[in-house]
Amino acid sequence: MAQVHNDKYKPFPQVKLTDRQWPGKTIDKAPIWMSTDLRDGNQALFEPMNQQKKMEMFETLCRIGFKEIEIAFPSASETEFNFVRGLIEGGHIPDDVTIEVLTQAREHLIRRTFESLRGARRAIIHIYNATCPAFRDFVFGMSKAEVIKMAVDAVHLIRQLAAEMPETEIVLEYSPELFTATELEFAKEVCDAVTAAWGATPQRKVILNLPATVEVATPNVYADQIEWMHRHLARRDSVLISVHPHNDRGTAIAAAELGLMAGADRVEGCLFGNGERTGNVDLVTLALNLHTQGVDPQLDFSDINNVARVYEHCTQLPIHPRHPYAGDLVFTAFSGSHQDAIKKGFAAQKADATWAVPYLPIDPADVGRSYDSIIRVNSQSGKGGISYIMEHDYGIVMPRRLQVEFSGVVQRHADSHGGEISGEEIWQLFADTYLNAGAQVRYREHHLFEEGGQQAIRLGVDINGVAHNLNGVGNGPINAAMHALTSAGLQAQVRSYEERSMVPAGDDGNASAVAFIEMAASGCGECYGVGIDSNIVTASIKALVSGINRLPQSAPQKTA
Ligand code: KIV
Ligand code: ZN
């Protein structure tokens, strides 16, 4: 249904800012972060966190490096009140962390909030009242002057209660709730009244938090609103502008980033975007976005899996597998062209150089993720991904033409079986195709010796189950072995030969040799044979045998 907007109650008021500066700005330092996981985030849970979970979350937030943490809405419930008391009385608040508590701008709630803070070293009292026309007219039935008075009365009371509790340094935060739906001139009027009532100075700043309580416009509109406030607020040097974007339109990250470009000093949000409805802005993504731009976010997500586990445990909410930076699949590529580029990017990446691997905006190691699952194979994958897994998991660097040949084998398997193919399955396909190829010829043993200045070999093989001792001479062991096999009627030519050492990942120095021989026989096409052994000559002879077994019509002409 189309929404018809009366001018006064339209979702967001017009912003008159023709000379906006924010589009030309970049973010070059971390903002002041404020985690509201234990308040806004907690309010949005099916099952709010109990004391134990709140404590676990609090400790995790401290470990990540948050210096301002909104821990509760103490006047809302005993649980909330007791949590604040527990943190203070238990001495759990690190010296460099300031706790924050929320209350509506109402006298009895403010008094109760102060009681919860007794004994704290420093605390931010966060008061709010809604300022937009719809709230003024329909919810509160208040004039603009009454809304201002409500905020200012609350500030006076807080000043008085703070003076009675000198052992606690009280910082004031004020939020004109539904700021984005409030006329800017009026939002400024309320905020300026609060700043004046608090007696804010550059040494004793007031935090003015300008929330997108409900996200109602594109992020550039929020940026305009923030820049307008940044340029018009009184005593700007005595004010910290804070943004608090919710994610109703799915653009909270952009809103926060543009808000910072527009002059904000501080950001409030939650881990992984928890919070009312579609959530608060996701502080993990915001921080790691900074990291990708070379700006130190001053938050430590170097063990993101641990943060994710704590979050899921405390909130009982899952993290989407494609959640930026943290989801299980975000460092995984299935598509063949992506895999190919990633594999080449990895090969070119120098340890101390700027990270530049295609399709991976950050080095997974920066957030404590391994490279193990970066490339996963399904029917969309190509030779790049398959050869990456063979190399990374099994230490086998395949020649390019073998990559093409083997990817066809994997592709056929994927097409017929569907779904993802694990590294183990790829290895099994490789072993079945090359290492245990066919049954006509089986290598048993060999003995090398010199004969008339040439390389001679005595080669023990089973051909169709019958043991043979074959002799051959040549200009090297492979040539001699080929001649020995040809003497048994096995027709094939060697087209190319490569050998490599093979160090499977995690195997310390336990190297084997792998030989790749590309073979052809007239009328039979070409194919690869592969042999693996701790001895390179044995690996090569096994590769010859593998190739002969794989050539479609190279079955022996004679068996004795
Ligand atoms: O979203 C919001 O407006 C809030 C206020 C209480 C700051 O959470
Ligand atoms: Zn909120």
Side-chain angles (χ1 to χ4, degrees):
M1 189 175 73
Q3 296 191 357
V4 180
H5 297 128
N6 172 314
D7 251 2
K8 186 174 180 194
Y9 303 119
K10 65 188 174 186
F12 59 94
Q14 206 195 341
V15 190
K16 295 192 194 83
L17 191 71
T18 49
D19 59 342
R20 56 183 66 80
Q21 301 297 305
W22 62 261
K25 298 280 169 60
T26 48
I27 308 171
D28 54 13
K29 68 174 195 318
I32 301 167
W33 301 108
M34 199 286 274
S35 153
T36 184
D37 287 86
L38 291 163
R39 197 280 295 171
D40 216 337
N42 191 44
Q43 282 180 298
L45 298 177
F46 292 109
E47 192 183 317
M49 291 178 238
N50 59 23
Q51 305 283 325
Q52 220 175 356
K53 284 183 176 169
K54 276 198 124 181
M55 182 60 89
E56 191 179 346
M57 179 61 90
F58 179 76
E59 284 169 352
T60 300
L61 293 168
C62 292
R63 255 198 320 277
I64 292 169
F66 286 99
K67 303 297 175 211
E68 296 184 359
I69 302 175
E70 193 165 49
I71 55 170
F73 195 150
S75 62
S77 73
E78 283 301 302
T79 316
E80 290 285 275
F81 187 93
N82 291 340
F83 180 66
V84 182
R85 294 309 312 145
L87 277 191
I88 297 169
E89 286 168 18
H92 297 296
I93 305 165
D95 286 347
D96 59 350
V97 170
T98 300
I99 54 168
E100 172 165 334
V101 286
L102 181 76
T103 172
Q104 285 166 350
R106 292 164 60 180
E107 180 175 348
H108 67 290
L109 302 179
I110 293 171
R111 288 188 185 280
R112 177 79 176 145
T113 305
F114 262 83
E115 275 172 45
S116 76
L117 291 177
R118 215 158 272 290
R121 181 191 50 80
R122 188 171 193 263
I124 301 171
I125 296 234
H126 179 185
I127 52 164
Y128 71 98
N129 61 341
T131 50
C132 68
F135 256 74
R136 295 194 312 258
D137 295 352
F138 310 139
V139 183
F140 297 148
M142 278 184 176
S143 66
K144 284 183 176 174
E146 286 168 323
V147 170
I148 295 175
K149 183 171 182 315
M150 187 178 188
V152 168
D153 285 352
V155 176
H156 286 147
L157 178 62
I158 291 170
R159 275 189 87 161
Q160 177 202 319
L161 296 175
E164 290 167 13
M165 210 167 82
E167 71 281 9
T168 304
E169 182 191 346
I170 296 290
V171 177
L172 178 71
E173 171 170 344
Y174 171 70
S175 292
E177 198 193 8
L178 293 136
F179 160 77
T180 46
T182 303
E183 310 89 325
L184 281 173
E185 290 77 7
F186 182 57
K188 168 183 154 52
E189 213 181 323
V190 187
C191 286
D192 285 349
V194 165
T195 305
W198 184 243
T201 64
Q203 293 71 40
R204 190 166 169 272
K205 291 185 165 72
V206 63
I207 301 167
L208 296 178
N209 182 48
L210 307 176
T213 305
V214 180
E215 186 174 54
V216 288
T218 48
N220 59 303
V221 173
Y222 189 54
D224 277 356
Q225 291 171 320
I226 299 297
E227 183 169 326
W228 191 94
M229 292 294 277
H230 168 59
R231 287 162 65 172
H232 290 85
L233 277 174
R235 301 204 214 176
R236 180 62 185 89
D237 63 351
S238 307
V239 167
L240 289 170
I241 294 183
S242 178
V243 290
H244 177 117
H246 278 266
N247 194 38
D248 298 82
R249 296 166 51 96
T251 56
I253 290 286
E257 290 178 335
L258 300 193
L260 289 173
M261 289 156 62
D265 307 289
R266 183 176 184 271
V267 179
E268 300 190 352
C270 291
L271 298 179
F272 306 111
N274 184 33
E276 295 282 9
R277 306 178 309 282
T278 51
N280 286 76
V281 70
D282 169 15
L283 297 182
V284 178
T285 301
L286 267 183
L288 290 170
N289 281 356
L290 283 182
H291 173 72
T292 64
Q293 305 306 302
V295 177
D296 178 359
Q298 312 264 318
L299 293 179
D300 180 358
F301 290 112
S302 60
D303 186 358
I304 205 151
N305 287 347
N306 177 262
V307 176
R309 271 194 303 275
V310 172
Y311 168 86
E312 291 188 327
H313 170 69
C314 293
T315 63
Q316 307 281 300
L317 290 173
I319 292 172
H320 194 282
R322 300 207 182 276
H323 191 102
Y325 305 110
D328 285 345
L329 290 180
V330 298
F331 297 115
T332 294
F334 283 107
S335 130
S337 60
H338 288 210
Q339 294 178 338
D340 201 46
I342 290 172
K343 182 171 170 282
K344 288 173 180 152
F346 263 120
Q349 180 68 43
K350 300 266 179 317
D352 49 358
T354 303
W355 179 255
V357 176
Y359 298 110
L360 294 178
I362 60 168
D363 181 349
D366 291 355
V367 287
R369 295 278 294 264
S370 75
Y371 300 124
D372 284 351
S373 58
I374 286 182
I375 287 183
R376 288 165 62 174
V377 170
N378 63 13
S379 60
Q380 302 298 307
S381 310
K383 65 178 176 19
I386 294 158
S387 53
Y388 175 88
I389 287 178
M390 289 298 293
E391 180 175 342
H392 183 260
D393 293 6
Y394 298 101
I396 293 187
V397 181
M398 295 188 285
R400 217 193 94 80
R401 282 198 301 280
L402 175 59
Q403 292 177 19
V404 174
E405 184 185 295
F406 181 51
S407 70
V409 174
V410 177
Q411 190 74 44
R412 280 191 293 280
H413 180 86
D415 284 340
S416 59
H417 289 72
E420 187 185 349
I421 309 178
S422 67
E424 290 82 18
E425 284 173 284
I426 290 174
W427 171 255
Q428 199 52 54
L429 281 171
F430 185 80
D432 292 347
T433 307
Y434 297 103
L435 308 180
N436 313 317
Q440 302 105 305
V441 188
R442 285 199 184 284
Y443 168 85
R444 275 193 289 108
E445 58 180 358
H446 74 272
H447 175 62
L448 290 172
F449 53 97
E450 268 197 28
E451 195 176 271
Q454 281 209 296
Q455 180 70 69
I457 193 168
R458 190 158 43 252
L459 179 59
V461 288
D462 293 338
I463 301 178
N464 292 330
V466 180
H468 291 258
N469 284 315
L470 309 173
N471 293 300
V473 281
N475 56 13
I478 297 168
N479 193 237
M482 194 61 237
H483 286 147
L485 290 165
T486 312
S487 74
L490 299 162
Q491 299 302 329
Q493 294 99 47
V494 172
R495 282 283 161 85
S496 71
Y497 169 79
E498 282 182 52
E499 64 183 50
R500 296 195 178 139
S501 62
M502 169 187 166
V503 186
D507 233 8
D508 16 302
N510 191 9
S512 295
V514 56
F516 308 99
I517 299 187
E518 196 178 15
M519 306 189 65
S522 57
C524 305
E526 292 166 359
C527 73
Y528 266 95
V530 183
I532 294 176
D533 200 276
S534 55
N535 176 297
I536 183 59
V537 174
T538 309
S540 305
I541 298 170
K542 285 180 173 176
L544 276 181
V545 169
S546 154
I548 283 177
N549 280 326
R550 296 195 64 241
L551 279 169
Q553 290 151 44
S554 67
Q557 306 303 304
K558 62 179 194 215
T559 55

